[in-house]
């Protein structure tokens, strides 16, 4: 039988440790069990989970709190609804990574639910990666087809996630804290699974219940370089920048809402580092803030591994270098490629590492999918 490659088995063990640390169900359950006073209102408890990990987060929440099935809504991506717990009353699948008509229907359902809450009620909001696409409610003046085209332009335009979210927030009746605003006077607790650099609640899921420091003017500036952005979206941003539309809630607002990050990229990387240290490596957590074009970042990552081989810097072998963050993939002209940043990272570093025995690389996303490919 062929001998197992120790680099491969060690990398896979590190990934399993990272995934366990980022497992959203236990993170949500443990946080709620440690905060007995939260999500126990005198009135109704409304539970809304949105994102690629929505089913797991809802399962963790329902293990710690009781909620009427009719007060539980889960919105997740295609193929994930079967993972939801039996107590999840209404489960919707919607478009990801670009929204579709189901995303708009889900957004309107969410707004109806939160606007019906009173002062004795509470909203438990569970947010994970993908929430920005999976649920949306548009302002007047932006037709759905224009918004779908705008998202394709945003996702494929090479913009950093902060710039993308600034545009999304200012073309939404949900994002940029507007969902939290709509839930008042009910208390809001948002438990967040972070997939963004810096774990900023205003960025995770485009900040559904978090005050928004960005402005219409910044969103308009971010959109200037996107030639494919529909005129209706650009006109809406222009109206807001000139003061004709109300701004998103700013820092200091939303005093009835709290946002808590219960899982993050750093926690996953630290767990992977511990696993590798236990396997005899010196583990270096290089950064949780890796950004830029995936194909360019890949060559820098490969260069660090090669430098370690040649000079023993930044530390002698056996060494493991861990990187996390949010690199960007810029799509080419139609027909555009498929896949995401993990595949692009791996493919772009492969030529530099080809033939280098004793060096391995594993590129993965903790949410289990890499772009819109298989």
């Amino acid at each position: 039988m062929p001998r197992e490659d120790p680099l491969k088995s060690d990398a896979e063990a590190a990934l399993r440790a990272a995934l366990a640390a980022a497992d959203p169900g236990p993170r949500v359950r443990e946080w709620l069990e440690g905060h007995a006073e939260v999500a126990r209102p005198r009135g109704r408890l409304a539970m809304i989970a949105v994102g690629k990990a929505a089913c797991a987060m809802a399962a963790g929440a329902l293990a710690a709190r009781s909620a009427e099935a009719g007060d539980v809504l889960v919105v997740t991506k295609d193929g994930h609804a079967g993972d939801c717990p039996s107590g999840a009353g209404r489960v919707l699948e919607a478009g990801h990574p670009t929204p579709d008509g189901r995303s708009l229907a889900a957004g309107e359902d969410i707004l109806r639910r939160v606007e019906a809450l009173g002062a004795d009620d509470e909203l438990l909001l569970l947010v994970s990666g993908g929430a920005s696409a999976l649920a949306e409610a548009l302002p007047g003046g932006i037709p759905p087809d224009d918004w779908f085209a705008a998202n394709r332009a945003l996702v494929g335009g090479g913009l950093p996630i902060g710039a993308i979210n600034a545009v999304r927030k200012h073309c939404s009746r949900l994002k940029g804290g507007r969902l939290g605003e709509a839930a008042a006077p009910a208390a809001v607790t948002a438990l967040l699974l972070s997939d963004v650099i810096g774990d900023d609640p205003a960025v995770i899921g485009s900040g559904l219940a978090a005050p928004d420091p960005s402005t219409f003017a910044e969103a308009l500036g971010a959109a200037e370089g996107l030639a494919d952005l529909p005129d209706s979206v650009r006109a809406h941003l222009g109206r807001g920048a000139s003061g004709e539309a109300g701004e998103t809630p700013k820092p200091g607002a939303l005093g009835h809402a709290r946002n808590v990050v219960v899982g993050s990229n750093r926690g996953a990387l630290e767990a992977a580092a511990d696993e590798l240290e236990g396997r005899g490596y010196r583990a270096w957590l290089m950064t949780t803030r890796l950004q830029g074009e995936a194909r360019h970042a890949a060559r820098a990552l490969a260069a660090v591994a090669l430098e370690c081989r040649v000079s023993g810097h930044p530390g002698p072998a056996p060494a493991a270098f861990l990187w996390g963050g949010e690199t960007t993939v810029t799509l080419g002209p139609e027909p555009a490629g498929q896949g995401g940043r993990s595949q692009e990272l791996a493919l772009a570093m492969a030529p530099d590492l080809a033939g280098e025995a004793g060096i391995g690389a594993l590129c993965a996303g903790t949410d289990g999918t890499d772009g819109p490919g298989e």
Side-chain angles (χ1 to χ4, degrees):
M1 291 180 63
R3 195 170 152 193
E4 185 177 24
D5 182 354
L7 280 175
K8 181 178 179 182
S9 60
D10 290 345
E12 289 176 346
L15 177 60
R16 286 193 293 271
L19 293 175
D23 191 341
R27 302 290 81 76
V28 168
R29 186 189 68 246
E30 290 164 7
W31 191 91
L32 287 171
E33 289 174 345
H35 295 80
E37 78 287 357
V38 176
R40 296 193 188 276
R42 287 176 292 180
R44 295 164 52 207
L45 173 62
M47 190 181 297
I48 296 175
V50 188
K52 289 180 282 187
C55 288
M57 296 185 84
L62 288 168
R65 294 291 185 272
S66 295
E68 295 292 332
D71 289 330
V72 180
L73 173 65
V74 178
V75 184
T76 191
K77 70 178 289 186
D78 284 321
H80 286 48
D83 300 330
C84 281
S86 58
R90 181 167 168 79
V91 181
L92 304 175
E93 292 184 341
H96 181 273
T98 55
D100 58 16
R102 297 170 299 164
S103 307
L104 300 181
E108 295 294 343
D109 194 343
I110 289 171
L111 275 180
R112 282 193 299 270
R113 288 168 181 259
V114 303
E115 288 172 348
L117 297 176
D120 290 337
D121 302 329
E122 184 166 352
L123 170 62
L124 180 59
L125 182 63
L126 310 169
V127 182
S128 55
S132 291
L134 290 166
E136 184 57 280
L138 297 175
I142 301 179
D145 285 346
D146 281 6
W147 183 236
F148 303 151
N151 271 269
R152 289 192 292 271
L154 288 167
V155 171
L159 294 178
I161 189 65
I164 292 172
N165 281 350
V167 176
R168 284 173 168 164
K169 290 176 183 182
H170 288 87
C171 295
S172 176
R173 290 157 47 223
L174 283 180
K175 300 177 172 63
R178 294 195 191 274
L179 174 57
E181 189 175 54
V188 179
T189 297
L191 302 185
L192 314 173
L193 190 67
S194 175
D195 63 345
V196 301
I197 290 173
D199 301 333
D200 183 355
V203 179
I204 301 166
S206 298
L208 294 171
D212 174 31
S214 72
T215 65
F216 267 110
E218 291 169 350
L220 183 62
E224 282 181 353
L226 298 175
D228 296 334
L229 197 70
D231 290 341
S232 65
V233 175
R234 205 179 301 275
H236 174 77
L237 296 175
R239 287 192 297 271
S242 64
E244 297 176 38
E247 262 290 358
T248 50
K250 297 305 171 205
L254 304 181
H256 62 293
R258 70 191 300 186
N259 288 266
V260 182
V261 176
V262 295
S264 68
N265 187 249
R266 175 171 289 279
L269 288 172
E270 288 173 347
D274 288 344
E275 175 67 28
L276 290 165
E277 292 272 4
R279 289 171 172 262
Y281 294 84
R282 173 69 186 274
W284 301 81
L285 204 171
M286 305 297 283
T287 186
T288 61
R289 295 173 176 267
L290 185 68
Q291 299 183 71
E293 283 286 336
R295 65 184 186 274
H296 298 151
R299 300 203 67 187
L301 272 57
V304 171
L306 292 168
E307 183 64 31
C308 176
R309 156 71 58 78
V310 173
S311 68
H313 292 292
F321 303 104
L322 296 102
W323 311 74
E326 185 130 14
T327 55
T328 302
V329 174
T330 300
L331 299 179
E334 295 291 342
Q338 291 188 353
R341 60 187 66 117
S342 295
Q343 290 171 78
E344 183 144 331
L345 277 166
L347 290 168
M349 71 173 69
D352 291 347
L353 298 181
E356 296 288 342
I359 297 179
L362 187 151
C363 306
T366 52
D367 62 14
T369 59
D370 188 41
E374 293 299 323

